[in-house]
Amino acid sequence: MPAASNTMTNTVLITGAAGFIVSNVAKEYLSAAPEARVIVFDKYKGDDLAQEHLRPYADRVEHVFGDIRDKALMRDVVQTYRPQEVIHAAAITHQAQLERDDPSVFIDVNINGTVSLLEAVKADSGLRRFVYVSTGGVYGEPSERSPAGPQGEEGPFDPPELYAVSKYTSELLVRRYGKLFGFETLRVRFADVFGPMERATGARTTLSLPYGMMRAVLEGRTLKVSSSALDAKMDIISAEEIALAFTRLLLQPGLPHDVYNIASGQHLSIRDLLEAFRSVEPRFSYVETTTAEADVTADPSLTRGRYNAYDVSRMRDLGWQPRPLKEQLERYRDWVAHDPVNRCPATSPARS
């Protein structure tokens, strides 16, 4: 590990930054904070796409490869780079088969990995803030306690799968460590996300509906959507919009809350999403079909809990506003068009 430089005024350690969402956060933050340096920590060395993504800021980016569960390594990383802020996103996302085959891996990576990092930073007097990247999955399946209006940060909470369970557990651990050891903590929860840098990785196998729509265009095929799915609803947002919101949080010297939803705040039907994409990409087409034949299936009765629109009033109070959905989709289409093979590689069609 190289000796750390102290010429930059702000150093941010980002775990999982070779992946999807936080790679966009890293790029936007580097653009908005020219004095900042980012330490990218990831188990995977990343593909050419990951290297290309941050290349414009290569002089302010350092890469460290390793396992978040390695306590000695994490202590070494923290002591070497002395980050003022930590963004912890390294995790294994929900995979149904993996949950059945090896359920303990979600506990080991997502919870023990978080504790490993918390133990490394707890004695570092230079740490100002620890940001934990969580998920809207912590709001769980719809129940009688779920709000009919937009889902707020106050819950209720009923995480179903081990991924969401591990995320909520880690949220509580981060909050408690911050109180015990005197550093600020921030937790962020996302709704459904699409956009630049999305692709299948070792930690992520479930891809967004816009990814599936883009693949259909590239393959010259019509996307098959079950009739019932057309009326199903979601709150969906581009990773670019999340990066803008996230950067706004990072640049705030003080925040009135310690947890924020980042989402569109709108309940959009799959039909409306398909039509929005067709309006910006004329080559796209879809057809209604049976559930058995469909590429895209979804249950229209699921409208509350994690399937709800998310309350983003806390973010709006900070002056953040996402761009219109059509513009988000158009930007994603244009990003893919520059290198379709690598930016939207072939995979199984997305299922909601």
Side-chain angles (χ1 to χ4, degrees), residues 240-251:
E240 289 186 305
E241 305 307 305
I242 286 180
L244 289 167
F246 212 121
T247 298
R248 185 174 291 268
L249 290 172
L250 292 174
L251 295 178

Side-chain angles (χ1 to χ4, degrees), residues 160-204:
E161 306 92 357
L162 284 174
Y163 168 64
V165 169
S166 68
K167 282 291 189 178
Y168 190 56
T169 301
S170 294
E171 279 197 37
L172 300 180
L173 289 168
V174 167
R175 186 181 66 181
R176 185 57 182 162
Y177 264 75
K179 289 181 178 179
L180 285 172
F181 300 105
F183 53 84
E184 180 184 346
T185 62
L186 175 64
R187 293 163 287 149
V188 292
R189 303 180 187 134
F190 306 144
D192 288 321
V193 186
F194 73 96
M197 297 300 290
E198 183 178 16
R199 73 269 194 224
T201 64
R204 179 184 180 86

Side-chain angles (χ1 to χ4, degrees), residues 91-306:
I92 293 179
T93 59
H94 176 61
Q95 301 172 43
Q97 189 60 49
L98 180 61
E99 187 177 42
R100 287 188 290 269
D101 294 343
D102 188 11
S104 66
V105 72
F106 293 93
I107 309 303
D108 194 24
V109 174
N110 296 357
I111 296 179
N112 293 340
T114 299
V115 171
S116 172
L117 183 54
L118 287 168
E119 283 290 305
V121 303
K122 70 180 184 181
D124 186 353
S125 60
L127 181 69
R128 290 198 299 263
R129 182 161 48 190
F130 189 110
V131 185
Y132 183 69
V133 177
S134 188
T135 171
V138 302
Y139 298 126
E141 297 297 306
S143 73
E144 60 183 15
R145 298 188 301 125
S146 301
Q151 175 64 58
E153 289 91 344
E154 68 279 358
F157 304 100
D158 187 19
E161 306 92 357
L162 284 174
Y163 168 64
V165 169
S166 68
K167 282 291 189 178
Y168 190 56
T169 301
S170 294
E171 279 197 37
L172 300 180
L173 289 168
V174 167
R175 186 181 66 181
R176 185 57 182 162
Y177 264 75
K179 289 181 178 179
L180 285 172
F181 300 105
F183 53 84
E184 180 184 346
T185 62
L186 175 64
R187 293 163 287 149
V188 292
R189 303 180 187 134
F190 306 144
D192 288 321
V193 186
F194 73 96
M197 297 300 290
E198 183 178 16
R199 73 269 194 224
T201 64
R204 179 184 180 86
T205 59
T206 302
L207 303 176
S208 70
L209 180 51
Y211 189 100
M213 295 189 295
M214 197 67 241
R215 277 306 313 168
V217 169
L218 296 174
E219 295 169 11
R221 61 178 171 84
T222 297
L223 192 69
K224 299 177 181 178
V225 185
S226 69
S227 298
S228 59
L230 289 170
D231 294 321
K233 292 187 175 182
M234 61 171 62
D235 186 328
I236 191 165
I237 190 169
S238 170
E240 289 186 305
E241 305 307 305
I242 286 180
L244 289 167
F246 212 121
T247 298
R248 185 174 291 268
L249 290 172
L250 292 174
L251 295 178
Q252 288 282 335
L255 293 167
H257 305 283
D258 67 349
V259 58
Y260 287 81
N261 287 334
I262 303 180
S264 74
Q266 303 294 318
H267 227 184
L268 185 77
S269 72
I270 287 181
R271 186 193 307 272
D272 288 341
L273 177 59
L274 296 168
E275 289 298 330
F277 187 63
R278 184 156 65 177
S279 73
V280 301
E281 178 45 77
R283 294 175 297 169
F284 174 69
S285 63
Y286 69 93
V287 63
E288 292 185 46
T289 188
T290 63
T291 298
E293 296 178 338
D295 301 319
V296 180
T297 62
D299 184 348
S301 71
L302 300 176
T303 59
R304 298 189 181 186
R306 61 177 170 174

Side-chain angles (χ1 to χ4, degrees), residues 31 48 63 65 90 160 183 191 216 239 245 262 267 325-326:
S31 174
D48 292 341
H63 296 267
F65 304 107
F183 53 84
I262 303 180
H267 227 184
L325 176 63
K326 287 185 179 180

